Amino acid sequence: MRLGDRSESENVEDDRGSGPRAGGLVLGGGGLVLALFLMVLGVDPRQALQVVGRGQPQGQAGQQQPGGPPRQADPEEEKEAHFTKVIFGDTERIWTEEFRKAGKTYAKPTLHLYSGMVDSACGQAEAAVGPFYCPGDSKVYIDLAFYQDMQKKLNAPGDFARAYVVAHEVGHHVQKLLGYTKYVDRARASGDKVEANRASVRLELQADYLAGVWAHYGQEQYKFLDPGDIDSALNAAFEIGDDRLQKKSRGYVVPDAFTHGTSKQRMKWFKQGFDTGDVKGASKLFDLDYDAL
Ligand SMILES: [Zn+2]
């Protein structure tokens, strides 16, 4: 993937090394399985926090941790931070333009880099939940160590696979602005667990689709893809499908427990977003019958 001389986003809170560090999360057998599940992109923070047992949102949107001593800069990590900030800048440039074309204004989210543990408006989260978006404060939270996990534990290497992670989380922000989140809130409020999971799958696949739409316009404007980049994103989408993660963790698949979609579905919708660049087409994820997804 080519970064060119595109600028970093200015909407970044770089909180690495100054937040409370994860105090050696102890996981039993069951916990380990859960941690693996949560390692997927953008697990819903409310679910994640429930599992991690940190309780309810604390209503502390935007509250900053007091700054601790800065950690020593690791050149490799600084490269990853720069990459992430440029990609986040790309999402701002592209979504601002797409919203403008539709006569709307893109309210930019914030990228919050942290290490170990973080307080969000959605509660306190461990890095083990993976990157996530918190609708309450419109921030995308990323611990850069996740990139290493993608490469080593999830078999999803490649810089464009990382860009897809960022674009997926920003996709959750875009869907909040476009009003799709309410369908999921409604399903969750109904108390029907299967329906709530299905709504979550729709929302996650839609974030994949929107990440694809973003890649479509990024390629059109910046020619930022190298050969093999789309394959590396599709491979990441494959490796983090619910069925794949479930099989790896417990050896069988429980479709009703899916909250993100199967590998095949995740690849399909990312690809469709990339091929069409059709923002309005995102509505399909809520219009189609569940079995047609
Ligand atoms: Zn997600």
Side-chain angles (χ1 to χ4, degrees):
M1 183 174 192
R2 296 165 200 198
L3 290 188
D5 55 4
R6 302 193 305 283
S7 58
E8 294 183 350
S9 165
E10 288 173 358
N11 298 304
V12 180
E13 295 169 354
D14 198 337
D15 198 26
R16 290 173 293 155
S18 68
R21 307 305 301 272
L25 182 62
V26 181
L27 295 169
L32 210 60
V33 173
L34 289 170
L36 187 59
F37 279 126
L38 297 175
M39 201 77 85
V40 297
L41 301 188
V43 64
D44 173 59
R46 282 164 293 190
Q47 268 178 328
L49 295 165
Q50 207 181 339
V51 171
V52 177
R54 297 283 172 178
Q56 294 303 308
Q58 299 155 337
Q60 295 178 330
Q63 197 172 86
Q64 285 296 301
Q65 290 297 323
R71 282 184 308 160
Q72 289 230 295
D74 164 2
E76 194 52 39
E77 189 184 315
E78 289 317 304
K79 234 174 89 185
E80 287 171 352
H82 172 68
F83 176 84
T84 307
K85 292 172 189 178
V86 172
I87 297 301
F88 202 75
D90 284 343
T91 65
E92 292 172 338
R93 288 179 276 272
I94 285 163
W95 284 117
T96 296
E97 177 60 14
E98 291 312 306
F99 272 60
R100 193 195 58 75
K101 280 195 227 162
K104 296 177 178 142
T105 305
Y106 182 63
K108 294 174 184 171
T110 300
L111 170 66
H112 188 103
L113 298 178
Y114 73 100
S115 49
M117 197 184 274
V118 70
D119 283 318
S120 75
C122 298
Q124 195 176 52
E126 311 256 6
V129 303
F132 67 96
Y133 170 72
C134 174
D137 55 20
S138 297
K139 293 182 189 180
V140 169
Y141 291 86
I142 297 180
D143 181 334
L144 296 172
F146 182 73
Y147 294 153
Q148 304 309 316
D149 287 340
M150 283 181 72
Q151 189 152 346
K152 291 177 190 148
K153 296 184 193 156
L154 296 171
N155 295 319
D159 55 0
F160 191 67
R162 298 170 182 191
Y164 155 62
V165 170
V166 177
H168 171 100
E169 297 310 333
V170 172
H172 283 309
H173 178 68
V174 170
Q175 63 196 172
K176 185 183 94 167
L177 296 181
L178 295 179
Y180 289 112
T181 321
K182 63 173 183 280
Y183 296 111
V184 180
D185 292 338
R186 210 175 292 160
R188 286 207 181 107
S190 77
D192 182 335
K193 189 99 176 109
V194 172
E195 266 317 302
N197 279 348
R198 288 182 164 204
S200 171
V201 168
R202 290 179 187 274
L203 198 74
E204 292 301 328
L205 294 177
Q206 191 183 55
D208 287 334
Y209 178 89
L210 292 167
V213 169
W214 166 80
H216 174 96
Y217 291 107
Q219 176 64 356
E220 193 173 280
Q221 282 189 41
Y222 307 123
K223 300 273 176 288
F224 65 16
L225 296 176
D226 284 321
D229 274 352
I230 288 297
D231 286 342
S232 82
L234 288 173
N235 173 65
F238 173 79
E239 290 292 348
I240 59 180
D242 285 331
D243 51 343
R244 173 106 179 132
L245 290 176
Q246 281 193 6
K247 257 189 209 155
K248 282 209 288 208
S249 64
R250 59 171 127 172
Y252 57 92
V253 169
V254 188
D256 276 351
F258 288 178
T259 54
H260 285 71
T262 64
S263 296
K264 205 174 145 200
Q265 286 175 319
R266 300 198 71 164
M267 293 168 75
K268 170 183 160 183
W269 287 104
F270 174 80
K271 184 96 181 11
Q272 202 165 118
F274 177 70
D275 288 344
T276 64
D278 179 12
V279 182
K280 285 205 181 100
S283 66
K284 276 186 262 180
L285 273 307
F286 285 94
D287 294 342
L288 288 174
D289 282 346
Y290 187 76
D291 293 332
L293 292 177

